[in-house]
């Protein structure tokens, strides 16, 4: 039962290089998310996709693009990496369900991608 | 937008002692509240959640949290901690009408010493 799978686990880039972080989930969830985690700042939402074919900006979208390739996959692209993008990136997925009559949307996280930009 | 403040960045405690990790939130509308745990080099795992109803919520691994609307708090507690509870703990909040926009606190690193 894989859940949310992120690749790669580690990556080192030079300033100006581009790369794409991959995320796939096998839980048939509708929504997917990309976060970055920085020391002392918790997780901040970069982009999310509420359903296949839609994407929306989160709290810190600048410098990133996303693609919801299909229901399973949601990729994050850095077109021109900067040292400020050195971080740990987490992908998550969720779907709406009912819990005691309340609608809820619990997020499940991948193991993260540790990115360093030199 | 909603926000979360975790009042302690680090909490050291001895094994079998009780612990409380503090969380305060800010929102002009009703919210859902969550605690997640992150073990070293792993992703986040849901510990417990508050949606509505009883203000005392029980989660996995013996943790519980109490929602206090008047104090806008959602503190996490465990009566007796183990070495294996050493991890980073995150409090998170989302508004009822948009669960997709979840805001996290900066995290509290719990270190349990023998």
């Amino acid at each position: 039962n894989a859940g949310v799978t992120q690749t790669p686990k580690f990556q080192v880039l030079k300033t100006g290089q581009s790369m794409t972080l991959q995320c796939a989930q096998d839980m048939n969830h509708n929504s997917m998310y990309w976060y970055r985690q920085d020391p002392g700042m918790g997780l901040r939402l970069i982009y999310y996709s509420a359903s296949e074919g839609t994407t929306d900006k989160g709290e810190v979208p600048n410098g990133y693009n996303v693609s919801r390739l299909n229901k399973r996959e949601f990729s994050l692209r850095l077109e021109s990496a900067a040292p400020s993008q050195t971080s740990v990136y987490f992908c998550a997925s969720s779907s709406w369900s009912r819990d005691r009559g309340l609608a809820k949307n619990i997020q499940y996280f991948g193991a993260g991608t540790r990115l360093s930009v030199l | 937008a909603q926000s979360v403040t975790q009042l302690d960045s680090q909490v050291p405690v001895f094994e079998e002692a009780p612990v409380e990790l503090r969380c305060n939130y800010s929102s002009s509308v009703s919210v859902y509240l969550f605690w997640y745990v992150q073990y070293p080099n792993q992703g986040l795992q849901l510990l417990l959640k508050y949606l509505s109803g009883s203000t005392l919520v029980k989660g996995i691994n013996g943790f519980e949290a109490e929602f206090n609307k008047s104090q806008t708090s959602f503190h996490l507690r465990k009566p007796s901690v183990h070495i294996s509870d050493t991890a980073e703990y995150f409090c998170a909040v989302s508004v009822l009408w948009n669960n997709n926009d979840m805001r996290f606190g900066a995290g509290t690193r719990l270190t349990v010493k023998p």
Side-chain angles (χ1 to χ4, degrees), chain A residues 33 37 90 102-103 105 107 110, chain B residues 32 36 38 43 52 90 99-100 105:
Chain A
Y33 312 80
Q37 182 182 27
F90 287 99
L102 289 170
N105 196 17
Q107 296 186 20
Chain B
Y32 290 159
Y36 282 85
Q38 184 182 31
S52 75
F90 293 94
N99 267 201
N100 291 314

Side-chain angles (χ1 to χ4, degrees), chain B residues 36-58:
Chain B
Y36 282 85
V37 59
Q38 184 182 31
Y39 298 104
N41 299 314
Q42 294 186 25
L44 276 70
Q45 177 183 351
L46 182 67
L47 206 53
L48 49 78
K49 63 185 183 295
Y50 172 79
L51 304 180
S52 75
S54 173
T55 57
L56 184 63
V57 179
K58 293 189 184 300

Side-chain angles (χ1 to χ4, degrees), chain B residues 41-112:
Chain B
N41 299 314
Q42 294 186 25
L44 276 70
Q45 177 183 351
L46 182 67
L47 206 53
L48 49 78
K49 63 185 183 295
Y50 172 79
L51 304 180
S52 75
S54 173
T55 57
L56 184 63
V57 179
K58 293 189 184 300
I60 61 172
N61 301 340
F63 283 93
E64 63 182 32
E66 185 156 19
F67 170 59
N68 188 319
K69 189 174 182 180
S70 62
Q71 296 187 5
T72 61
S73 68
F74 190 55
H75 299 335
L76 181 71
R77 301 186 183 102
K78 186 169 182 178
S80 175
V81 294
H82 302 289
I83 299 286
S84 59
D85 292 322
T86 294
E88 186 118 23
Y89 292 80
F90 293 94
C91 182
V93 61
S94 66
V95 296
L96 265 58
W97 55 267
N98 185 11
N99 267 201
N100 291 314
D101 188 2
M102 187 179 296
R103 300 300 172 102
F104 286 81
T108 297
R109 182 170 299 279
L110 174 65
T111 303
V112 181

Side-chain angles (χ1 to χ4, degrees), chain A residues 11 13-14 21 42 50-51 53 61 81 85 100 102 105 111-112 114-115:
Chain A
Q11 184 71 48
L13 293 177
K14 294 181 180 177
L21 280 63
S51 62
Q85 294 178 305
R100 293 167 290 162
L102 289 170
N105 196 17
R114 192 172 294 274
L115 176 67

Side-chain angles (χ1 to χ4, degrees), chain A residues 69-87:
Chain A
L69 305 168
N70 47 57
K71 191 171 186 180
R72 289 188 63 246
E73 298 173 288
F74 188 40
S75 63
L76 178 73
R77 183 159 178 84
L78 287 69
E79 290 291 352
S80 179
S84 61
Q85 294 178 305
T86 293
S87 188

